[in-house]
Amino acid sequence: MDIKNRLPDGWQIKKLKDISVISSSKRIYEWEYVDSGIPFYRGKEITALKNKQKIENFIYISEERYNELKEKYGIPNKGDILITAVGTIGNAYTIEDDNPFYFKDGNLLWIKNIKEYPKFLEYLFENNKKLFLDNSFGSSQHALTIAKLENLSFYFPPLEEQKRIASALSKIDAYLENTIKLIKEKEKFKKGIAKKLFSKEMRFKEFNDEWETKNLISVANIKKGEQRNKLDLIPNGKYPVLNGGKNFSGYYNSYNREANTITISEGGNAGYVNFMKEKFWSSGHCYTLHDLKIDKHFLYQCLKNSEKRLMKLKLGTALKNIKISEIKEFTLDMPKSIKEQED
């Protein structure tokens, strides 16, 4: 059966070139940047705007140059869409106001004169990032061209339905944004309490013993993992592989560390502290702590609170790492009482 016959009533397949005009900006050279004036956005600034993040280190062009571009070629308007087209592909942002700005050619593609509902189109793009990547070119750095973007086809419901879909998704975004904000506020509150507890500024009233300074090797056995390279990894493996950094490197069908183990990254995000709640494979750039002589959860929180100090131990130029000798001699202040550690 033809896919067109399976579409809901009123839905149509349309190419982007049939529902919009796609172009880019005029070239702005680095020597045209000024200290203040009209903001000039690249891909990273548009991504920040999309994610409602603060833009730092603004770049500007002169108001005179902006007005010249506006007069000769036009400028982005409210309801137009900009989409990242080099490196990170497919981050789309619908312009929400009439505040003046200009943008970098090549880095961003400009979708204007849109006949459909712009916010729906933005969500459509967000849900089809793989399609953009599949239609880009380049190996080390992907790029999306105007010609490729123009010929991409999407399913469009009637305009009112587009508005309903976009409104529902916008409400979910707002809910998630507020939830993330609350989580960050609670994390900030927790860090403030932890700082006071670990600095002995705040103590539980039933404890008054002096704290002691110990190096890590005196309270834990520190082991380095066994390297597993990309070729060793299994897409649907049972156990995650931790090889330094904050994220898993992949999966493997064996494990060499038990659940509830404290880890410290040796390379990548050197000094990053994690608590693995599941069995996992500790790879070559991962330290793990065993045979603990103090409360496990206290030690994790103590190390997490000292993470910035740990990260200062990293050495090297291209790939910085932390030597095991430095980890062993890393000092922590801790209460003598196991009960106070647990509380």
Side-chain angles (χ1 to χ4, degrees), residues 100-309:
F101 73 92
Y102 205 62
F103 64 98
K104 186 174 177 62
D105 66 297
N107 271 213
L108 296 157
L109 296 182
W110 178 13
I111 305 174
K112 56 188 176 180
N113 301 341
I114 301 170
K115 298 174 184 176
E116 307 296 334
Y117 189 58
K119 199 66 181 176
F120 172 82
L121 194 56
E122 179 187 328
Y123 282 119
L124 197 60
F125 289 169
E126 189 175 298
N127 198 49
N128 286 277
K129 281 190 176 181
K130 187 177 184 301
L131 180 63
F132 294 124
L133 196 59
D134 290 343
N135 282 275
S136 64
F137 69 93
S139 52
S140 59
Q141 189 174 49
H142 294 283
L144 183 66
T145 65
I146 291 174
K148 282 286 188 181
L149 188 58
E150 283 180 331
N151 285 292
L152 292 181
S153 297
F154 296 94
Y155 302 122
F156 290 92
L159 192 60
E160 286 304 312
E161 190 171 353
Q162 293 179 30
K163 291 178 180 179
R164 292 278 296 275
I165 292 170
S167 175
L169 293 174
S170 292
K171 288 176 182 176
I172 293 171
D173 276 347
Y175 173 78
L176 292 174
E177 188 179 338
N178 288 333
T179 302
I180 290 168
K181 185 178 179 181
L182 284 172
I183 290 170
K184 286 181 177 178
E185 287 174 354
K186 288 181 179 180
E187 285 177 344
K188 186 177 179 180
F189 174 75
K190 177 191 169 186
K191 285 180 180 178
I193 295 296
K195 185 177 180 181
K196 289 182 178 181
L197 287 169
F198 286 117
S199 66
K200 294 165 283 185
E201 181 182 338
M202 178 191 296
R203 294 189 72 182
F204 298 107
K205 61 182 180 180
E206 65 266 33
F207 300 105
N208 52 28
D209 292 342
E210 289 294 320
W211 283 33
E212 53 189 349
T213 301
K214 290 188 175 183
N215 54 23
L216 199 52
I217 192 62
S218 68
V219 297
N221 182 15
I222 303 162
K223 296 181 181 179
K224 190 172 181 179
E226 184 181 345
Q227 185 64 28
R228 283 292 175 267
N229 298 311
K230 286 185 178 180
L231 294 176
D232 300 320
L233 304 183
I234 301 167
N236 298 314
K238 188 175 180 181
Y239 302 102
V241 175
L242 197 59
N243 191 29
K246 298 181 179 181
N247 302 313
F248 301 145
S249 299
Y251 292 85
Y252 196 56
N253 274 343
S254 298
Y255 67 92
N256 60 0
R257 297 293 188 268
E258 296 290 341
N260 301 316
T261 295
I262 299 169
T263 73
I264 302 174
S265 176
E266 182 261 358
N269 291 89
Y272 179 76
V273 179
N274 200 357
F275 188 88
M276 291 294 293
K277 296 181 179 180
E278 57 187 316
K279 295 176 181 178
F280 67 103
W281 186 275
S282 173
S283 201
H285 296 288
C286 180
Y287 296 124
T288 51
L289 308 186
H290 306 270
D291 309 319
L292 306 185
K293 297 175 184 175
I294 63 173
D295 181 76
K296 180 181 298 184
H297 299 287
F298 170 83
L299 180 57
Y300 168 69
Q301 295 294 343
C302 195
L303 285 167
K304 200 68 180 172
N305 191 59
S306 304
E307 199 170 55
K308 287 184 179 178
R309 191 158 57 93

Side-chain angles (χ1 to χ4, degrees), residues 33-68:
Y33 298 165
V34 295
D35 293 334
S36 62
I38 304 298
F40 181 71
Y41 296 151
R42 299 157 296 179
K44 67 178 184 178
E45 283 83 15
I46 290 301
T47 297
L49 287 170
K50 174 180 176 59
N51 295 327
K52 301 187 183 303
Q53 296 170 343
K54 183 180 177 181
I55 296 177
E56 298 181 355
N57 303 318
F58 270 99
I59 294 174
Y60 300 95
I61 60 173
S62 69
E63 190 170 347
E64 181 183 6
R65 180 69 170 123
Y66 173 79
N67 287 330
E68 178 189 349

Side-chain angles (χ1 to χ4, degrees), residues 93-106:
Y93 169 68
T94 303
I95 300 170
E96 298 176 347
D97 53 47
D98 293 314
N99 294 333
F101 73 92
Y102 205 62
F103 64 98
K104 186 174 177 62
D105 66 297

